[in-house]
PDB file of all heavy atoms in Angstrom:
ATOM      1  N   PRO R 248      22.939  16.696  -8.960  1.00  0.00           N
ATOM      2  CA  PRO R 248      22.692  15.445  -8.237  1.00  0.00           C
ATOM      3  C   PRO R 248      23.955  14.960  -7.528  1.00  0.00           C
ATOM      4  O   PRO R 248      25.064  15.168  -8.011  1.00  0.00           O
ATOM      5  CB  PRO R 248      22.306  14.477  -9.357  1.00  0.00           C
ATOM      6  CG  PRO R 248      23.028  14.997 -10.552  1.00  0.00           C
ATOM      7  CD  PRO R 248      23.017  16.497 -10.403  1.00  0.00           C
ATOM      8  N   PRO R 249      23.786  14.313  -6.377  1.00  0.00           N
ATOM      9  CA  PRO R 249      24.950  13.739  -5.691  1.00  0.00           C
ATOM     10  C   PRO R 249      25.388  12.450  -6.388  1.00  0.00           C
ATOM     11  O   PRO R 249      24.570  11.755  -6.997  1.00  0.00           O
ATOM     12  CB  PRO R 249      24.418  13.439  -4.292  1.00  0.00           C
ATOM     13  CG  PRO R 249      22.962  13.192  -4.500  1.00  0.00           C
ATOM     14  CD  PRO R 249      22.556  14.112  -5.625  1.00  0.00           C
ATOM     15  N   THR R 250      26.671  12.140  -6.288  1.00  0.00           N
ATOM     16  CA  THR R 250      27.142  10.869  -6.828  1.00  0.00           C
ATOM     17  C   THR R 250      26.721   9.748  -5.890  1.00  0.00           C
ATOM     18  O   THR R 250      26.356   9.979  -4.739  1.00  0.00           O
ATOM     19  CB  THR R 250      28.672  10.867  -7.015  1.00  0.00           C
ATOM     20  OG1 THR R 250      29.289  11.132  -5.762  1.00  0.00           O
ATOM     21  CG2 THR R 250      29.107  11.896  -8.046  1.00  0.00           C
ATOM     22  N   ASN R 251      26.816   8.540  -6.385  1.00  0.00           N
ATOM     23  CA  ASN R 251      26.423   7.362  -5.617  1.00  0.00           C
ATOM     24  C   ASN R 251      27.533   7.007  -4.639  1.00  0.00           C
ATOM     25  O   ASN R 251      28.700   6.910  -5.016  1.00  0.00           O
ATOM     26  CB  ASN R 251      26.178   6.192  -6.580  1.00  0.00           C
ATOM     27  CG  ASN R 251      25.536   5.011  -5.918  1.00  0.00           C
ATOM     28  OD1 ASN R 251      25.710   4.760  -4.734  1.00  0.00           O
ATOM     29  ND2 ASN R 251      24.775   4.269  -6.695  1.00  0.00           N
ATOM     30  N   LEU R 252      27.193   6.818  -3.372  1.00  0.00           N
ATOM     31  CA  LEU R 252      28.190   6.464  -2.360  1.00  0.00           C
ATOM     32  C   LEU R 252      28.821   5.109  -2.645  1.00  0.00           C
ATOM     33  O   LEU R 252      29.969   4.862  -2.275  1.00  0.00           O
ATOM     34  CB  LEU R 252      27.558   6.467  -0.969  1.00  0.00           C
ATOM     35  CG  LEU R 252      27.043   7.825  -0.482  1.00  0.00           C
ATOM     36  CD1 LEU R 252      26.341   7.682   0.865  1.00  0.00           C
ATOM     37  CD2 LEU R 252      28.169   8.836  -0.409  1.00  0.00           C
ATOM     38  N   LEU R 253      28.080   4.209  -3.297  1.00  0.00           N
ATOM     39  CA  LEU R 253      28.604   2.883  -3.605  1.00  0.00           C
ATOM     40  C   LEU R 253      29.513   2.870  -4.831  1.00  0.00           C
ATOM     41  O   LEU R 253      30.336   1.972  -4.984  1.00  0.00           O
ATOM     42  CB  LEU R 253      27.448   1.892  -3.804  1.00  0.00           C
ATOM     43  CG  LEU R 253      26.504   1.731  -2.615  1.00  0.00           C
ATOM     44  CD1 LEU R 253      25.326   0.843  -2.980  1.00  0.00           C
ATOM     45  CD2 LEU R 253      27.250   1.182  -1.412  1.00  0.00           C
ATOM     46  N   THR R 254      29.340   3.843  -5.709  1.00  0.00           N
ATOM     47  CA  THR R 254      30.179   3.966  -6.909  1.00  0.00           C
ATOM     48  C   THR R 254      30.623   5.425  -7.028  1.00  0.00           C
ATOM     49  O   THR R 254      30.029   6.201  -7.775  1.00  0.00           O
ATOM     50  CB  THR R 254      29.419   3.521  -8.177  1.00  0.00           C
ATOM     51  OG1 THR R 254      28.182   4.241  -8.240  1.00  0.00           O
ATOM     52  CG2 THR R 254      29.159   2.032  -8.190  1.00  0.00           C
ATOM     53  N   PRO R 255      31.648   5.831  -6.286  1.00  0.00           N
ATOM     54  CA  PRO R 255      32.090   7.234  -6.293  1.00  0.00           C
ATOM     55  C   PRO R 255      32.367   7.749  -7.710  1.00  0.00           C
ATOM     56  O   PRO R 255      32.898   7.021  -8.549  1.00  0.00           O
ATOM     57  CB  PRO R 255      33.367   7.197  -5.462  1.00  0.00           C
ATOM     58  CG  PRO R 255      33.232   5.994  -4.589  1.00  0.00           C
ATOM     59  CD  PRO R 255      32.464   4.994  -5.420  1.00  0.00           C
ATOM     60  N   GLY R 256      31.978   8.997  -7.935  1.00  0.00           N
ATOM     61  CA  GLY R 256      32.187   9.622  -9.239  1.00  0.00           C
ATOM     62  C   GLY R 256      31.157   9.222 -10.280  1.00  0.00           C
ATOM     63  O   GLY R 256      31.305   9.548 -11.452  1.00  0.00           O
ATOM     64  N   GLN R 257      30.115   8.530  -9.862  1.00  0.00           N
ATOM     65  CA  GLN R 257      29.082   8.067 -10.792  1.00  0.00           C
ATOM     66  C   GLN R 257      27.705   8.351 -10.214  1.00  0.00           C
ATOM     67  O   GLN R 257      27.504   8.280  -9.012  1.00  0.00           O
ATOM     68  CB  GLN R 257      29.249   6.571 -11.039  1.00  0.00           C
ATOM     69  CG  GLN R 257      28.275   5.986 -12.024  1.00  0.00           C
ATOM     70  CD  GLN R 257      28.642   4.570 -12.405  1.00  0.00           C
ATOM     71  OE1 GLN R 257      29.739   4.324 -12.887  1.00  0.00           O
ATOM     72  NE2 GLN R 257      27.737   3.646 -12.195  1.00  0.00           N
ATOM     73  N   ILE R 258      26.760   8.684 -11.092  1.00  0.00           N
ATOM     74  CA  ILE R 258      25.360   8.866 -10.708  1.00  0.00           C
ATOM     75  C   ILE R 258      24.555   7.789 -11.422  1.00  0.00           C
ATOM     76  O   ILE R 258      24.652   7.659 -12.642  1.00  0.00           O
ATOM     77  CB  ILE R 258      24.839  10.265 -11.107  1.00  0.00           C
ATOM     78  CG1 ILE R 258      25.764  11.360 -10.600  1.00  0.00           C
ATOM     79  CG2 ILE R 258      23.422  10.470 -10.565  1.00  0.00           C
ATOM     80  CD1 ILE R 258      25.511  12.709 -11.237  1.00  0.00           C
ATOM     81  N   ASN R 259      23.795   7.008 -10.672  1.00  0.00           N
ATOM     82  CA  ASN R 259      23.017   5.913 -11.246  1.00  0.00           C
ATOM     83  C   ASN R 259      21.536   6.276 -11.297  1.00  0.00           C
ATOM     84  O   ASN R 259      21.013   6.880 -10.365  1.00  0.00           O
ATOM     85  CB  ASN R 259      23.205   4.640 -10.410  1.00  0.00           C
ATOM     86  CG  ASN R 259      24.648   4.194 -10.399  1.00  0.00           C
ATOM     87  OD1 ASN R 259      25.347   4.306 -11.399  1.00  0.00           O
ATOM     88  ND2 ASN R 259      25.106   3.699  -9.267  1.00  0.00           N
ATOM     89  N   TYR R 260      20.899   5.877 -12.381  1.00  0.00           N
ATOM     90  CA  TYR R 260      19.471   6.107 -12.565  1.00  0.00           C
ATOM     91  C   TYR R 260      18.814   4.825 -13.072  1.00  0.00           C
ATOM     92  O   TYR R 260      19.402   4.092 -13.872  1.00  0.00           O
ATOM     93  CB  TYR R 260      19.211   7.209 -13.602  1.00  0.00           C
ATOM     94  CG  TYR R 260      19.705   8.564 -13.192  1.00  0.00           C
ATOM     95  CD1 TYR R 260      20.961   9.013 -13.576  1.00  0.00           C
ATOM     96  CD2 TYR R 260      18.904   9.401 -12.423  1.00  0.00           C
ATOM     97  CE1 TYR R 260      21.418  10.266 -13.190  1.00  0.00           C
ATOM     98  CE2 TYR R 260      19.356  10.659 -12.043  1.00  0.00           C
ATOM     99  CZ  TYR R 260      20.613  11.084 -12.434  1.00  0.00           C
ATOM    100  OH  TYR R 260      21.067  12.323 -12.057  1.00  0.00           O
ATOM    101  N   SER R 261      17.589   4.569 -12.613  1.00  0.00           N
ATOM    102  CA  SER R 261      16.795   3.445 -13.101  1.00  0.00           C
ATOM    103  C   SER R 261      15.388   3.933 -13.425  1.00  0.00           C
ATOM    104  O   SER R 261      14.826   4.749 -12.704  1.00  0.00           O
ATOM    105  CB  SER R 261      16.709   2.336 -12.047  1.00  0.00           C
ATOM    106  OG  SER R 261      17.973   1.778 -11.794  1.00  0.00           O
ATOM    107  N   LEU R 262      14.833   3.410 -14.511  1.00  0.00           N
ATOM    108  CA  LEU R 262      13.477   3.733 -14.950  1.00  0.00           C
ATOM    109  C   LEU R 262      12.587   2.516 -14.713  1.00  0.00           C
ATOM    110  O   LEU R 262      12.894   1.412 -15.179  1.00  0.00           O
ATOM    111  CB  LEU R 262      13.477   4.102 -16.435  1.00  0.00           C
ATOM    112  CG  LEU R 262      12.123   4.280 -17.125  1.00  0.00           C
ATOM    113  CD1 LEU R 262      11.313   5.404 -16.501  1.00  0.00           C
ATOM    114  CD2 LEU R 262      12.319   4.531 -18.609  1.00  0.00           C
ATOM    115  N   PHE R 263      11.492   2.722 -13.963  1.00  0.00           N
ATOM    116  CA  PHE R 263      10.564   1.654 -13.620  1.00  0.00           C
ATOM    117  C   PHE R 263       9.159   1.992 -14.084  1.00  0.00           C
ATOM    118  O   PHE R 263       8.781   3.167 -14.135  1.00  0.00           O
ATOM    119  CB  PHE R 263      10.509   1.453 -12.097  1.00  0.00           C
ATOM    120  CG  PHE R 263      11.805   1.029 -11.492  1.00  0.00           C
ATOM    121  CD1 PHE R 263      12.642   1.963 -10.893  1.00  0.00           C
ATOM    122  CD2 PHE R 263      12.193  -0.303 -11.507  1.00  0.00           C
ATOM    123  CE1 PHE R 263      13.843   1.572 -10.324  1.00  0.00           C
ATOM    124  CE2 PHE R 263      13.390  -0.703 -10.943  1.00  0.00           C
ATOM    125  CZ  PHE R 263      14.217   0.234 -10.344  1.00  0.00           C
ATOM    126  N   VAL R 264       8.358   0.947 -14.367  1.00  0.00           N
ATOM    127  CA  VAL R 264       6.935   1.111 -14.667  1.00  0.00           C
ATOM    128  C   VAL R 264       6.152   0.097 -13.848  1.00  0.00           C
ATOM    129  O   VAL R 264       6.638  -0.988 -13.539  1.00  0.00           O
ATOM    130  CB  VAL R 264       6.606   0.946 -16.166  1.00  0.00           C
ATOM    131  CG1 VAL R 264       7.216   2.059 -16.979  1.00  0.00           C
ATOM    132  CG2 VAL R 264       7.034  -0.405 -16.684  1.00  0.00           C
ATOM    133  N   GLN R 265       4.938   0.486 -13.507  1.00  0.00           N
ATOM    134  CA  GLN R 265       4.065  -0.379 -12.711  1.00  0.00           C
ATOM    135  C   GLN R 265       2.639  -0.205 -13.189  1.00  0.00           C
ATOM    136  O   GLN R 265       2.180   0.915 -13.414  1.00  0.00           O
ATOM    137  CB  GLN R 265       4.162   0.003 -11.233  1.00  0.00           C
ATOM    138  CG  GLN R 265       3.169  -0.713 -10.356  1.00  0.00           C
ATOM    139  CD  GLN R 265       2.913   0.028  -9.056  1.00  0.00           C
ATOM    140  OE1 GLN R 265       3.548   1.027  -8.748  1.00  0.00           O
ATOM    141  NE2 GLN R 265       1.960  -0.449  -8.293  1.00  0.00           N
ATOM    142  N   ASN R 266       1.931  -1.303 -13.343  1.00  0.00           N
ATOM    143  CA  ASN R 266       0.501  -1.268 -13.614  1.00  0.00           C
ATOM    144  C   ASN R 266      -0.170  -1.046 -12.266  1.00  0.00           C
ATOM    145  O   ASN R 266      -0.289  -1.963 -11.472  1.00  0.00           O
ATOM    146  CB  ASN R 266       0.050  -2.585 -14.257  1.00  0.00           C
ATOM    147  CG  ASN R 266      -1.430  -2.638 -14.502  1.00  0.00           C
ATOM    148  OD1 ASN R 266      -2.161  -1.704 -14.211  1.00  0.00           O
ATOM    149  ND2 ASN R 266      -1.883  -3.755 -15.031  1.00  0.00           N
ATOM    150  N   SER R 267      -0.574   0.185 -11.990  1.00  0.00           N
ATOM    151  CA  SER R 267      -1.056   0.525 -10.649  1.00  0.00           C
ATOM    152  C   SER R 267      -2.559   0.378 -10.471  1.00  0.00           C
ATOM    153  O   SER R 267      -3.051   0.431  -9.343  1.00  0.00           O
ATOM    154  CB  SER R 267      -0.621   1.947 -10.280  1.00  0.00           C
ATOM    155  OG  SER R 267      -1.160   2.885 -11.182  1.00  0.00           O
ATOM    156  N   ALA R 268      -3.304   0.192 -11.543  1.00  0.00           N
ATOM    157  CA  ALA R 268      -4.755   0.012 -11.419  1.00  0.00           C
ATOM    158  C   ALA R 268      -5.330  -0.496 -12.730  1.00  0.00           C
ATOM    159  O   ALA R 268      -4.812  -0.195 -13.802  1.00  0.00           O
ATOM    160  CB  ALA R 268      -5.425   1.332 -11.042  1.00  0.00           C
ATOM    161  N   GLY R 269      -6.405  -1.252 -12.623  1.00  0.00           N
ATOM    162  CA  GLY R 269      -7.117  -1.701 -13.812  1.00  0.00           C
ATOM    163  C   GLY R 269      -6.646  -3.047 -14.317  1.00  0.00           C
ATOM    164  O   GLY R 269      -6.042  -3.830 -13.590  1.00  0.00           O
ATOM    165  N   GLY R 270      -6.937  -3.292 -15.585  1.00  0.00           N
ATOM    166  CA  GLY R 270      -6.615  -4.573 -16.204  1.00  0.00           C
ATOM    167  C   GLY R 270      -5.133  -4.718 -16.527  1.00  0.00           C
ATOM    168  O   GLY R 270      -4.329  -3.818 -16.301  1.00  0.00           O
ATOM    169  N   ALA R 271      -4.785  -5.867 -17.064  1.00  0.00           N
ATOM    170  CA  ALA R 271      -3.389  -6.185 -17.400  1.00  0.00           C
ATOM    171  C   ALA R 271      -2.859  -5.229 -18.468  1.00  0.00           C
ATOM    172  O   ALA R 271      -3.584  -4.766 -19.339  1.00  0.00           O
ATOM    173  CB  ALA R 271      -3.287  -7.623 -17.890  1.00  0.00           C
ATOM    174  N   VAL R 272      -1.558  -4.934 -18.370  1.00  0.00           N
ATOM    175  CA  VAL R 272      -0.856  -4.115 -19.353  1.00  0.00           C
ATOM    176  C   VAL R 272       0.323  -4.933 -19.869  1.00  0.00           C
ATOM    177  O   VAL R 272       1.098  -5.486 -19.097  1.00  0.00           O
ATOM    178  CB  VAL R 272      -0.352  -2.790 -18.742  1.00  0.00           C
ATOM    179  CG1 VAL R 272       0.452  -1.996 -19.759  1.00  0.00           C
ATOM    180  CG2 VAL R 272      -1.512  -1.965 -18.223  1.00  0.00           C
ATOM    181  N   VAL R 273       0.457  -4.977 -21.185  1.00  0.00           N
ATOM    182  CA  VAL R 273       1.561  -5.681 -21.815  1.00  0.00           C
ATOM    183  C   VAL R 273       2.633  -4.663 -22.206  1.00  0.00           C
ATOM    184  O   VAL R 273       2.324  -3.608 -22.768  1.00  0.00           O
ATOM    185  CB  VAL R 273       1.088  -6.455 -23.066  1.00  0.00           C
ATOM    186  CG1 VAL R 273       2.266  -7.081 -23.805  1.00  0.00           C
ATOM    187  CG2 VAL R 273       0.079  -7.507 -22.673  1.00  0.00           C
ATOM    188  N   ARG R 274       3.873  -4.981 -21.874  1.00  0.00           N
ATOM    189  CA  ARG R 274       5.017  -4.173 -22.334  1.00  0.00           C
ATOM    190  C   ARG R 274       5.275  -4.584 -23.780  1.00  0.00           C
ATOM    191  O   ARG R 274       5.965  -5.537 -24.064  1.00  0.00           O
ATOM    192  CB  ARG R 274       6.224  -4.441 -21.456  1.00  0.00           C
ATOM    193  CG  ARG R 274       6.040  -3.977 -20.027  1.00  0.00           C
ATOM    194  CD  ARG R 274       7.122  -4.472 -19.109  1.00  0.00           C
ATOM    195  NE  ARG R 274       8.452  -4.213 -19.629  1.00  0.00           N
ATOM    196  CZ  ARG R 274       9.554  -4.844 -19.205  1.00  0.00           C
ATOM    197  NH1 ARG R 274       9.470  -5.759 -18.252  1.00  0.00           N
ATOM    198  NH2 ARG R 274      10.720  -4.563 -19.719  1.00  0.00           N
ATOM    199  N   SER R 275       4.691  -3.811 -24.703  1.00  0.00           N
ATOM    200  CA  SER R 275       4.703  -4.185 -26.115  1.00  0.00           C
ATOM    201  C   SER R 275       5.882  -3.619 -26.898  1.00  0.00           C
ATOM    202  O   SER R 275       6.045  -3.926 -28.063  1.00  0.00           O
ATOM    203  CB  SER R 275       3.379  -3.789 -26.768  1.00  0.00           C
ATOM    204  OG  SER R 275       3.116  -2.418 -26.565  1.00  0.00           O
TER     205      SER R 275
END
Side-chain angles (χ1 to χ4, degrees):
T250 58
N251 190 331
L252 296 176
L253 301 174
T254 53
Q257 182 170 303
I258 308 166
N259 298 323
Y260 295 94
S261 295
L262 172 61
F263 297 98
V264 293
Q265 173 202 354
N266 177 0
S267 61
V272 176
V273 174
R274 294 169 50 198
S275 55

